Amino acid sequence: MAADNTSSVTEFILTGLTNQPGLQLPLFFLFLGFYMVTVLGNLGLITLIGLNSHLHTPMYFFLFNLSFIDFSYSSAIIPKMLMSFVSKKNIISYTGCMTQLFFFCFFVVSESFILSAMAYDRYVAICKPLLYMVTMSPQVCLFLLVGVYGMGALAALAHTGNILFLTFCADNLVNHYMCDILPLLELSCNSSYMNNLVVFAVVAIDIGVPIVAIFLSYGFILSSIFHISSTEGRSKAFSTCSSHIIAVCLFFGSGTFAYLKPPSAVPLDQGKVCTVFYTIVVPMLNPLIYSLRNKDVKLAMKKALGRITSS
């Protein structure tokens, strides 16, 4: 019985991260720990920003959304991944697979564009400080956010639509812990050069455009910093950007390596490791990077903890 007009496969089996029995249970607890830190860190940051009025600024508006995105796309992946460590056959329906693929693409692309919006925010704050509140008005912030989620939706539709047109004849064993683009393309019996070209073109736009925007922003930021006469002023300017630079390097570094190399150059097992990094490790590290390196967040945390202990 067909799942739709183009496929005779109604379900897929996910191989998971490893097929070594001795590693299954340790990896289950390791990734469960990662997920708990991710959920607590991102929901904690969302709550902290939401409840503290002095954090209701453009910078924290984007950070709020970054935490929401990190929480959402790790939640679209990790619970299913955890099942692969404890079940003999990790089965996902055709519809469930396409749904996971859509939300994974939506949130991961939204993350790349929210990071570029945050770079623009830092550019305005450092290069045009007197015009900051006018330039980064609530209307502009909302416009940028609509652009972020709009690009995420377009990319998700392009990637999911591309996969929906493929035929999966008999083999339904996906060599991954989730429904990712490249393993599904490899599994299809009619995957063509055009399908691969669509993936490469969409990913190149979704990584290339934000990276160019980030590089331009930081080019202007560095130019402004070098014109600051005092060492203290330079140090303060650098410190406001350091958390964002770390987050950008972690996310785009692993994402570029996983998708912008030819499949023959990166074996799927190696690609899985890269995917683990930016789908699981980066969402866990982001709230830690931003909270441990940010005075305002640390101050808000101290106040919140003080209120809890005194009550």
Side-chain angles (χ1 to χ4, degrees):
M1 186 178 172
D4 62 18
N5 294 331
T6 61
S7 178
S8 59
V9 169
T10 58
E11 62 186 26
F12 294 100
I13 300 168
L14 301 171
T15 61
L17 197 59
T18 179
N19 56 6
Q20 295 182 36
L23 290 175
Q24 301 292 346
L25 208 56
L27 284 174
F28 172 81
F29 287 110
L30 176 67
F31 286 101
L32 179 63
F34 282 174
Y35 185 53
M36 288 172 71
V37 173
T38 303
V39 170
L40 289 171
N42 285 294
L43 289 184
L45 207 50
I46 287 169
T47 306
L48 209 61
I49 293 168
L51 295 178
N52 286 271
S53 56
H54 73 280
L55 296 180
H56 293 177
T57 63
M59 175 181 168
Y60 293 105
F61 171 75
F62 292 121
L63 184 53
F64 180 98
N65 281 278
L66 176 67
S67 289
F68 168 72
I69 290 165
D70 281 337
F71 166 74
S72 299
Y73 88 75
S74 60
S75 295
I77 295 161
I78 302 179
K80 190 66 183 167
M81 180 193 189
L82 291 172
M83 286 179 66
S84 69
F85 297 124
V86 292
S87 58
K88 287 182 180 178
K89 267 193 178 181
N90 188 23
I91 295 169
I92 185 168
S93 68
Y94 181 90
T95 306
C97 187
M98 295 304 119
T99 304
Q100 187 188 56
L101 176 68
F102 178 87
F103 282 108
F104 162 65
C105 293
F106 173 72
F107 287 116
V108 86
V109 171
S110 296
E111 172 126 352
S112 70
F113 280 94
I114 199 84
L115 287 169
S116 63
M118 291 170 85
Y120 176 69
D121 172 70
R122 292 300 83 206
Y123 154 72
V124 177
I126 292 168
C127 300
K128 300 179 179 180
L130 298 176
L131 297 171
Y132 180 70
M133 294 314 293
V134 177
T135 308
M136 298 303 293
S137 65
Q139 292 82 1
V140 170
C141 290
L142 194 61
F143 175 77
L144 288 170
L145 194 66
V146 168
V148 165
Y149 290 124
M151 290 304 292
L154 285 173
L157 287 168
H159 284 306
T160 310
N162 190 31
I163 299 297
L164 283 169
F165 281 109
L166 297 176
T167 304
F168 300 97
C169 304
D171 189 8
N172 67 341
L173 189 67
V174 181
N175 184 21
H176 215 295
Y177 57 83
M178 68 173 190
C179 290
D180 199 1
I181 304 158
L182 298 180
L184 288 170
L185 278 174
E186 191 177 78
L187 196 63
S188 166
C189 52
N190 72 331
S191 173
S192 66
Y193 170 77
M194 281 306 295
N195 293 114
N196 286 285
L197 191 64
V198 167
V199 173
F200 187 85
V202 175
V203 171
I205 292 166
D206 296 334
I207 289 180
V209 172
I211 283 178
V212 169
I214 289 164
F215 268 101
L216 284 172
S217 297
Y218 277 106
F220 289 119
I221 287 169
L222 284 173
S223 176
S224 291
I225 287 173
F226 289 133
H227 284 93
I228 297 171
S229 54
S230 69
T231 310
E232 190 185 340
R234 285 183 190 177
S235 177
K236 189 178 178 183
F238 271 121
S239 69
T240 62
C241 300
S242 60
S243 298
H244 183 257
I245 291 168
I246 294 166
V248 164
C249 291
L250 288 172
F251 179 79
F252 284 107
S254 53
T256 303
F257 188 79
Y259 286 101
L260 288 186
K261 280 193 175 186
S264 57
V266 183
L268 268 180
D269 286 344
Q270 194 178 332
K272 275 197 264 188
V273 176
C274 293
T275 313
V276 162
F277 200 79
Y278 79 87
T279 59
I280 295 168
V281 179
V282 171
M284 178 184 70
L285 291 179
N286 277 346
L288 298 174
I289 292 165
Y290 278 99
S291 57
L292 295 175
R293 299 182 63 87
N294 188 297
K295 288 178 182 177
D296 291 334
V297 172
K298 283 195 279 189
L299 185 65
M301 283 172 70
K302 282 178 184 176
K303 284 183 179 177
L305 289 169
R307 282 198 294 267
I308 291 165
T309 52
S310 63
S311 61

